[in-house]
Amino acid sequence: MTGTCVLGVTGGIAAAKASLLASMLVKQGLDVHVIMTEAACEFVAPLTFRTLTANPVSVDMFAEPGEWNVKHVSLAEAADVFVVAPATANFIGKVASGIADDLLTTTIMATRAPRVIAPAMNSGMYANPIVQRNIETLSALGYRFIGPESGRLACGDVGAGRLAEPERILDFVLHVCAGTGRPSLAGLRVVVTAGPTREPIDPVRFITNRSSGKMGYAIAGAAAVRGAKVTLVSGPVFLPAPEGCEMVRVETACQMRDATIDAAQEADVVVAAAAVADYMPASFSESKIKKSSGFGSLELSRTPDILAELGSAKGERVLVGFAAETDDLLSNAERKLSSKNLDMIVANMVGGEDSPFGADHNTVTILCPGAPPETFPAMSKLVLAHEILDRVSAICHH
Ligand code: CTP
């Protein structure tokens, strides 16, 4: 991702975590410019951010700039996205009240870029109705909030107030950037399945597959950022939950079927990105199967086909499937499109060096009934998620 990110850091112990975020944003390809408040400098030295971002760090409103420009205006105009992490109650209160008395509050007031705020504070402060009211005020004005998370806080309290993990803030920021200027999905209820399933053989063994869940998580995160009400039915994966999604965690294909059919009752769109196991062990052994038992073959039975079941009683719902193929990509995908009664199928080749399993990128062809296939260049799963949702949005509003 290219562009300029202004990262505001305010004074709290979580300012140290902001250095991780700065480094992650740089690794994504963004040109990161950090503005710190005076209080933030008590927790982290500006040199940390200067080194990580390779850009000067701004603190003082009236410092003589190297080149002549009005700093709060130039950074405000340069920003493609404006992130404040951690954001204190004081900062949030000032912005909500229109107070601009330092470089950070002045710059965020002047920017037209999308603004993401990651609060971090004591749980009592976070629960304070004044802070909550300020967050509501800013949310209504289009400021995007992520976190805080619950857990043990630096002050010793346990509760909501911990800065969201940098990985989650990064994911959210990238979705905000990728989603800006695309159609809103407000009002849509979207169910996404993601990840592999695990079909248990005995208490220690199971059958599974290589799905990482990244594609499904990207779609869920993208839909939520664009205003949809999202339920993410997830098999076991090692990914942070995307911001703003209702999570339903399952393990087996049967559990995924029940959770998805249940959630789909109220849904406008179902995107089946999960790699559901097609077969499960015909029986589960309560005790661990010993090698001395001579166990040599496994009897399997079919799992429910969740997407086919939804397609057989489709109603008004928009159904999107995935087809991962090693051969005959388009003919296999076309067959699945019609046999499962889908509105769209996202087809990609798997296996070989370019296999998308676990990767951050994917190369796909999208097929819709009666339309020519649309092949995309390799792109990040995050951006691809937004491309898929643009087409879903067009189908919904047709
Ligand atoms: N799917 C599902 N439930 C299953 C199997 C698959 O909902 N039990 C969904 C997947 O999430 C995906 C699409 O169906 O969207 C994949 O179609 P499928 O024909 O099952 O593909 P494969 O499992 O690869 O099957 P095949 O052996 O026919 O290639």
Side-chain angles (χ1 to χ4, degrees):
M1 184 154 300
T2 54
T4 299
C5 173
V6 174
L7 173 61
V9 181
T10 69
I13 188 65
K17 270 207 222 166
S19 60
L20 277 176
L21 177 63
S23 156
M24 289 173 179
L25 291 164
V26 170
K27 277 192 195 133
Q28 288 295 323
L30 289 161
D31 185 21
V32 180
H33 291 262
V34 174
I35 303 176
M36 299 175 76
T37 60
E38 298 275 354
C41 299
E42 299 289 328
F43 290 90
V44 191
L47 183 62
T48 304
F49 290 105
R50 185 184 172 114
T51 311
L52 290 169
T53 63
N55 279 321
V57 172
S58 312
V59 182
D60 190 348
M61 187 80 178
F62 303 106
E64 199 61 37
E67 292 165 36
W68 174 247
N69 54 21
V70 182
K71 203 175 270 174
H72 70 278
V73 176
S74 61
L75 282 177
E77 280 176 359
D80 295 301
V81 63
F82 202 117
V83 185
V84 182
T88 57
N90 179 53
F91 170 80
I92 293 167
K94 283 202 281 189
V95 179
S97 313
I99 296 171
D101 63 352
D102 62 10
L103 187 60
L104 183 57
T105 45
T106 323
T107 314
I108 201 166
M109 191 178 273
T111 195
R112 289 186 183 83
R115 287 152 299 200
V116 174
I117 297 183
M121 64 195 77
N122 161 270
S123 52
M125 290 175 86
Y126 183 63
N128 187 305
I130 302 172
V131 173
Q132 290 301 318
R133 183 200 60 199
N134 289 338
I135 291 175
E136 275 168 32
T137 302
L138 291 176
S139 299
L141 293 170
Y143 288 70
R144 317 293 306 248
F145 281 82
I146 171 153
E149 292 172 5
S150 289
R152 212 190 121 75
L153 308 177
C155 55
D157 281 8
V158 176
R162 206 168 64 178
L163 182 70
E165 285 305 318
E167 293 81 8
R168 292 190 62 228
I169 301 176
L170 175 73
D171 188 62
F172 189 65
V173 169
L174 296 179
H175 273 305
V176 167
C177 292
T180 300
R182 295 182 188 262
S184 162
L185 303 177
L188 279 189
R189 293 160 301 179
V190 178
V191 175
V192 181
T193 70
T197 62
R198 282 181 185 168
E199 311 303 325
I201 299 169
D202 68 12
V204 296
R205 304 180 178 95
F206 52 77
I207 301 173
T208 190
N209 59 62
R210 289 182 188 276
S211 169
S212 66
K214 282 182 182 171
M215 192 66 242
Y217 272 55
I219 291 170
V225 137
R226 290 165 65 177
K229 186 171 173 297
V230 182
T231 305
L232 174 54
V233 183
S234 173
V237 297
F238 303 94
L239 296 172
E243 181 66 8
C245 298
E246 186 193 338
M247 295 295 296
V248 184
R249 296 186 191 274
V250 298
E251 194 149 319
T252 65
C254 290
Q255 290 167 355
M256 186 173 275
R257 180 241 165 235
D258 290 351
T260 308
I261 299 292
D262 188 38
Q265 299 312 311
E266 299 286 304
D268 304 298
V269 179
V270 179
V271 182
V276 188
D278 290 320
Y279 288 90
M280 59 187 173
S283 64
F284 172 73
S285 169
E286 295 288 348
S287 34
K288 184 184 166 193
I289 301 169
K290 308 296 284 179
K291 55 180 171 292
S292 56
S293 69
F295 172 76
S297 62
L298 194 59
E299 199 186 321
L300 299 174
S301 58
R302 282 297 304 269
T303 56
D305 189 322
I306 306 164
L307 194 52
E309 186 176 336
L310 288 168
S312 68
K314 192 166 169 309
E316 296 293 303
R317 268 190 304 265
V318 172
L319 293 181
V320 180
F322 277 74
E325 309 291 342
T326 52
D327 308 281
D328 307 325
L329 180 69
L330 291 188
S331 58
N332 273 319
E334 257 160 29
R335 183 175 46 76
K336 288 174 189 178
L337 182 69
S338 71
S339 71
K340 299 196 189 200
N341 201 16
L342 308 179
D343 299 279
M344 183 194 296
I345 195 155
V346 183
N348 62 272
M349 294 297 279
V350 291
E353 295 214 333
D354 296 331
S355 184
F357 286 122
D360 290 326
H361 288 72
N362 204 353
T363 310
V364 306
T365 300
I366 292 183
L367 292 97
C368 296
E374 193 181 1
T375 298
F376 291 80
M379 62 173 72
S380 77
K381 287 178 178 175
L382 189 139
V383 175
L384 181 58
H386 286 274
E387 293 287 345
I388 292 168
L389 289 172
D390 286 352
R391 285 149 186 83
V392 168
S393 164
I395 296 170
C396 289
H397 295 109
H398 194 252

